[in-house]
Amino acid sequence: MSQEEVVTKDGLKIRKLVDLKASTAEEYQEAMLHRVEHFSKRKDSVFNDFVENTIVQGLKLALNAKVEIDKMLGDNKDKVHKILENVLLFGL
Amino acid sequence: MYHLDGTDVLEEKYYHKTKSICPVCQDKIDAEIVEEEGEIWIKKTCPEHGDFKDKISSSAKYYKWTHFAQRDENGNTEWEFLKNGEANPPDKQGDDPRGCPYNCGLCDEHLSTCSLVLIDLTNRCNFNCSFCYANVRRAGYLIEPSLEELDRIMKHFRNKPIPAPAIMFAGGEPTVRADFPEICKMAKDNGFKEVICATNGFGFQKKKGGLEFTKECFEKGLDTLYLQFDGINNATLEKTRGINNLIPYKERVIENCRKAGLTSIVLVQTVVKGITDVEVGNVIQYAIDNIDVVRGIIYQPVSLCGRITAEDMQELRITNADVIKEVDKQTNGKIGIDNAWYPLSTIVELGRIIAFLADVEPIEFTCHPDCGFATYLVVDPDSNEMVPIIDYFDPLKIVDFSNKFWEKIKNKEKEPIKFFENFLGDFGKTLDKGVNWLDKQQLRARFLAGMLQYTKKPGKLMEMFTRILLNGEWESISAFTHGSLLIGSMHFQDAYNLDIERTKRCVVHFGVAMPDGSVFESPFCTMNTLHRSRIEKIVAKKLTAKVENEFDTSKGVKVGEVTQQDLMQQQEVAHNGGTKKEE
């Protein structure tokens, strides 16, 4: 974490954050995965649901593809999203 | 407010009529909320006590964004951040002709259901903070509900058509109670998904037994510590809490939680102008450094209880917008006022859709847009930089899509498809169940596709978000929050800035067990502003010298040993209309 430490006249340490670069990025993900591990110990945990795990993996692939398609669409992205939104809301 | 830039909304002066109370006689009076020189003020006049004026927001631009309404091409409102909730049936019919907020209990004017139950477990405390409203010495009586009374309060909130999902134990200092771990278990047994303790850390930080206490609480059901944390400098904490060298005390709490596996701490900073506001960036830094156990930061601009002069008011008042500006300044614009923050009510429709599709209890954050703002910080896996979550999503598009989607499907929740039942009887009912299940699956597919198109980055965090959308389960929400850092600001009301429109939408409700066997339910701000002293006198227990002198509050340590028997003796005189000592 980049920071500059400033000491005020009252002796307070004020840490001015220059950027929010985390040296702990992996810890974040680990904390989340530990939580998953914690819940997975229970038999009825959603993290042990085969169907759901399969859907999540499928959506992960879909999201990866979608990010690439968005890049290709360039300026037309918003127009395409609007059309898709109308399709998704159609008939409800 | 990039999405308001260049719109007419910013050009129009904000004006809104509402109701408030007189800070002196507490009678209901008209009030107006007006824009003046880039700020938002509440102005009111009591016929007997004169004019009152108080700042609601130091940024009119930001305030207008939080009161934003999306309109269609004909100018009709499609959705807005100000919402009415799915309120539970009232507990009582109000008998005070003045109506809200005098009929709390809860009355039929309330527009939201309760998301977070608050129970004061005791008003005993090892600290004696100058701005605290709940303190045994200052009150002159003891407040400490019995286990039977606590169970009654919990059942009151869990047995409603829309049960409250989370509970917070407050005080006083809740962990001075020897039976605190049992109370956590009771909350879980009653079905609360999230059990939270608002604490200065007393029980958890003890050098002897602190770790064992933390483990026991965690094992019995405590999920989250709402830890009082005003800064990282001893000098700051001494100013706010009157105790020397408190940082090691706080660090012992963090360390014991880490060792016990209790990995959900929310740092709560009371923001006082000129004292703790300089440390908002420090607290973010501290949270990031301890991210394995810290899940969030909540800033609470101090509320002003008691009578003060207009000059003092101007001097002391700090609003949510001031806090957000400080965060912006102290993070070098990384968490900007312009785009990072959203009112808590933003996610209402998203939550309703998830709850409906997954058949889980809904969580209704239909509080007023002025109550609180929040953002999430997440780690960008590409740059390793902490970024506001808006870098992952297109939040306004997600909000817009969710609102439109819910508007179209909300009737399905109340009126499921009944097609075959009409001509095939019971067999038809079974067929209709299948049809409804299939209908939900196609709705779920549409909703996920909609969410997907406004998601900008892949990664583990997005997998967890997908799980929330799929199952709405607390496990998924909990895992998601473990991969992110919540930063929020919640400004509680006092008699000077009280807006009854806010009060009616409050989602944080106090519960008090009354001597007649009922439970008094009151929105947080009206409890503290209007009802606390009256209600406490009804349920108070007499205070003995032993209990009064239990702690040396200049050091925050226990001196006199108060046993369960001492407290039981006081239970016997409970409900006798315990009176204030000076009376």
Side-chain angles (χ1 to χ4, degrees):
Chain A
M1 180 70 57
S2 304
Q3 61 186 58
E4 290 168 1
E5 192 164 286
V6 185
V7 180
T8 68
K9 59 182 182 198
D10 304 328
L12 283 187
K13 282 182 288 175
I14 304 300
R15 299 198 282 183
K16 188 179 172 194
L17 309 183
V18 177
D19 63 40
L20 296 173
K21 207 124 190 155
S23 58
T24 53
E26 282 181 12
E27 281 183 40
Y28 263 86
Q29 216 150 80
E30 277 169 20
M32 189 167 72
L33 297 176
H34 283 159
R35 198 67 181 158
V36 174
E37 204 180 301
H38 167 76
F39 288 126
S40 300
K41 287 174 190 163
R42 301 176 193 164
K43 271 190 183 167
D44 60 348
S45 167
V46 292
F47 296 109
N48 295 327
D49 186 323
F50 174 76
V51 176
E52 189 176 303
N53 289 345
T54 310
I55 295 173
V56 169
Q57 289 312 308
L59 286 167
K60 184 182 158 186
L61 294 174
L63 181 57
N64 286 335
K66 180 257 170 197
V67 170
E68 293 306 315
I69 292 168
D70 274 357
K71 279 181 197 162
M72 287 192 286
L73 286 172
D75 292 342
N76 292 321
K77 190 180 76 177
D78 285 348
K79 277 185 202 163
V80 174
H81 282 179
K82 192 73 203 163
I83 294 166
L84 277 174
E85 187 178 304
N86 287 334
V87 170
L88 293 170
L89 294 171
F90 180 74
L92 289 180
Chain B
M1 273 75 55
Y2 59 96
H3 35 268
L4 286 193
D5 283 343
T7 66
D8 294 342
V9 178
L10 291 182
E11 304 305 320
E12 292 162 13
K13 285 259 181 199
Y14 188 86
Y15 181 83
H16 181 68
K17 276 187 172 178
T18 186
K19 298 275 182 191
S20 184
I21 59 169
C22 167
V24 182
C25 63
Q26 299 194 326
D27 228 347
K28 196 168 177 175
I29 52 177
D30 290 330
E32 47 187 10
I33 296 175
V34 297
E35 180 178 347
E36 282 181 1
E37 294 172 6
E39 297 179 328
I40 301 289
W41 293 77
I42 184 167
K43 289 176 166 181
K44 51 191 176 181
T45 302
C46 172
E48 199 176 334
H49 300 103
D51 297 337
F52 297 91
K53 181 183 173 185
D54 190 16
K55 196 187 291 179
I56 297 284
S57 175
S58 62
S59 170
K61 191 179 177 187
Y62 185 74
Y63 189 85
K64 285 193 272 195
W65 152 233
T66 61
H67 286 257
F68 171 70
Q70 176 80 41
R71 300 191 192 283
D72 62 17
E73 57 269 23
N74 301 319
N76 301 317
T77 301
E78 287 187 315
W79 57 266
E80 56 187 330
F81 290 129
L82 182 72
K83 297 173 195 299
N84 293 343
E86 300 278 339
N88 275 313
D91 294 326
K92 60 176 256 196
Q93 295 302 318
D95 47 14
D96 191 318
R98 294 174 297 173
C100 177
Y102 306 97
N103 283 324
C104 284
L106 206 61
C107 87
D108 57 2
E109 286 188 71
H110 209 72
L111 298 172
S112 290
T113 187
C114 174
S115 293
L116 177 67
V117 177
L118 257 178
I119 304 180
D120 281 346
L121 289 190
T122 179
N123 62 350
R124 289 188 289 141
C125 188
N126 58 321
F127 286 10
N128 189 15
C129 309
S130 56
F131 44 78
C132 181
Y133 52 79
N135 182 289
V136 74
R137 289 185 177 193
R138 214 164 292 142
Y141 47 71
L142 176 73
I143 300 291
E144 195 149 313
S146 67
L147 289 176
E148 178 277 317
E149 288 168 324
L150 291 171
D151 190 52
R152 193 196 323 156
I153 300 170
M154 291 181 199
K155 287 191 164 54
H156 167 86
F157 285 100
R158 287 296 300 166
N159 289 342
K160 294 199 169 195
I162 306 174
I167 187 165
M168 180 187 281
F169 299 120
E173 168 53 42
T175 62
V176 303
R177 282 185 69 142
D179 54 4
F180 180 73
E182 288 310 314
I183 296 168
C184 293
K185 184 175 181 301
M186 182 190 283
K188 278 286 171 202
D189 290 346
N190 271 295
F192 285 101
K193 309 282 182 203
E194 183 78 2
V195 179
I196 308 166
C197 175
T199 176
N200 66 38
F202 176 70
F204 309 100
Q205 61 78 39
K206 284 181 181 168
K207 289 177 184 163
K208 221 176 173 180
L211 177 58
E212 290 72 19
F213 178 80
T214 311
K215 277 182 182 166
E216 189 184 358
C217 291
F218 180 47
E219 280 160 12
K220 291 206 164 146
L222 180 64
D223 293 295
T224 296
L225 253 65
Y226 206 66
L227 179 66
Q228 176 197 92
F229 198 90
D230 296 333
I232 61 162
N233 288 282
N234 277 316
T236 304
L237 274 66
E238 192 173 352
K239 281 180 195 164
T240 54
R241 309 293 162 187
I243 298 173
N244 212 342
N245 199 28
L246 267 180
I247 294 298
Y249 177 105
K250 300 291 178 185
E251 287 184 334
R252 283 199 299 277
V253 178
I254 305 269
E255 201 44 44
N256 280 340
C257 285
R258 182 173 281 128
K259 285 178 185 163
L262 206 170
T263 56
S264 181
I265 299 173
V266 175
L267 304 178
V268 184
Q269 186 186 30
T270 304
V271 187
V272 187
K273 209 188 251 184
I275 298 176
T276 62
D277 56 351
V278 294
E279 293 230 38
V280 298
N282 282 349
V283 176
I284 293 175
Q285 173 72 69
Y286 189 88
I288 291 172
D289 289 347
N290 291 280
I291 198 61
D292 58 325
V293 288
V294 175
R295 298 279 70 81
I297 300 163
I298 296 291
Y299 298 112
Q300 291 182 342
V302 68
S303 57
L304 305 171
C305 299
R307 285 203 68 183
I308 57 172
T309 64
E311 291 75 28
D312 284 346
M313 171 71 76
Q314 296 250 17
E315 187 63 32
L316 291 169
R317 177 62 80 203
I318 185 161
T319 67
N320 273 330
D322 292 305
V323 174
I324 293 171
K325 283 182 192 170
E326 278 300 322
V327 171
D328 188 332
K329 194 170 88 184
Q330 293 180 35
T331 60
N332 251 7
K334 296 284 175 185
I335 310 172
I337 184 170
D338 277 354
N339 52 19
W341 303 84
Y342 278 72
L344 297 180
S345 56
T346 303
I347 58 164
V348 168
E349 278 72 20
L350 185 70
R352 285 177 180 166
I353 294 166
I354 293 170
F356 167 61
L357 293 178
D359 281 325
V360 294
E361 289 174 14
I363 304 166
E364 291 266 307
F365 285 119
T366 48
C367 51
H368 192 275
D370 293 4
C371 292
F373 313 120
T375 188
Y376 272 103
L377 286 190
V378 296
V379 178
D380 183 330
D382 298 331
S383 65
N384 267 0
E385 190 168 5
M386 298 289 297
V387 292
I389 203 163
I390 53 169
D391 283 20
Y392 269 76
F393 303 107
D394 197 329
L396 204 62
K397 293 247 174 76
I398 281 191
V399 172
D400 188 46
F401 180 74
S402 303
N403 275 275
K404 286 176 183 162
F405 196 84
W406 179 247
E407 192 56 36
K408 289 189 179 273
I409 69 162
K410 65 182 181 189
N411 288 335
K412 289 176 184 270
E413 187 191 23
K414 288 166 189 148
E415 296 161 18
I417 300 168
K418 280 184 185 172
F419 178 71
F420 293 109
E421 185 188 338
N422 295 333
F423 51 92
L424 290 175
D426 283 348
F427 179 62
K429 270 186 193 172
T430 311
L431 285 178
D432 281 339
K433 267 188 191 169
V435 170
N436 278 299
W437 184 85
L438 283 173
D439 188 43
K440 272 195 179 175
Q441 302 320 307
Q442 67 90 13
L443 289 174
R444 186 178 285 185
R446 287 183 194 227
F447 179 58
L448 280 170
M451 293 290 105
L452 198 67
Q453 73 166 340
Y454 298 126
T455 306
K456 294 193 259 185
K457 289 183 181 175
K460 285 275 172 206
L461 192 78
M462 285 306 100
E463 280 181 50
M464 221 49 74
F465 182 67
T466 312
R467 285 185 185 277
I468 296 177
L469 298 179
L470 276 172
N471 58 44
E473 289 285 345
W474 205 259
E475 285 185 4
S476 306
I477 296 169
S478 176
F480 177 82
T481 57
H482 275 66
S484 54
L485 181 73
L486 168 75
I487 305 183
S489 181
M490 290 189 73
H491 194 182
F492 302 122
Q493 299 181 97
D494 47 51
Y496 293 90
N497 60 14
L498 191 121
D499 175 356
I500 286 173
E501 288 302 312
R502 269 187 72 179
T503 303
K504 283 180 181 174
R505 291 176 171 81
C506 180
V507 296
V508 181
H509 295 185
F510 267 106
V512 181
M514 302 301 283
D516 63 2
S518 66
V519 170
F520 177 77
E521 180 180 341
S522 168
F524 184 91
C525 296
T526 47
M527 179 69 179
N528 290 333
T529 311
L530 280 174
H531 305 302
R532 179 173 286 279
S533 93
R534 175 178 61 87
I535 295 296
E536 284 194 345
K537 279 176 189 161
I538 298 171
V539 301
K541 298 161 176 144
K542 280 182 181 170
L543 183 62
T544 61
K546 209 169 181 181
V547 172
E548 190 175 1
N549 299 315
E550 183 183 4
F551 297 103
D552 177 352
T553 55
S554 67
K555 294 191 177 77
V557 296
K558 200 161 188 168
V559 284
E561 200 56 43
V562 172
T563 63
Q564 198 60 31
Q565 201 179 356
D566 293 321
L567 293 166
M568 286 300 285
Q569 279 167 4
Q570 284 168 331
Q571 300 282 0
E572 288 169 20
V573 293
H575 308 152
N576 66 350
T579 50
K580 275 198 166 195
K581 222 168 45 165
E582 63 270 22
E583 291 168 358

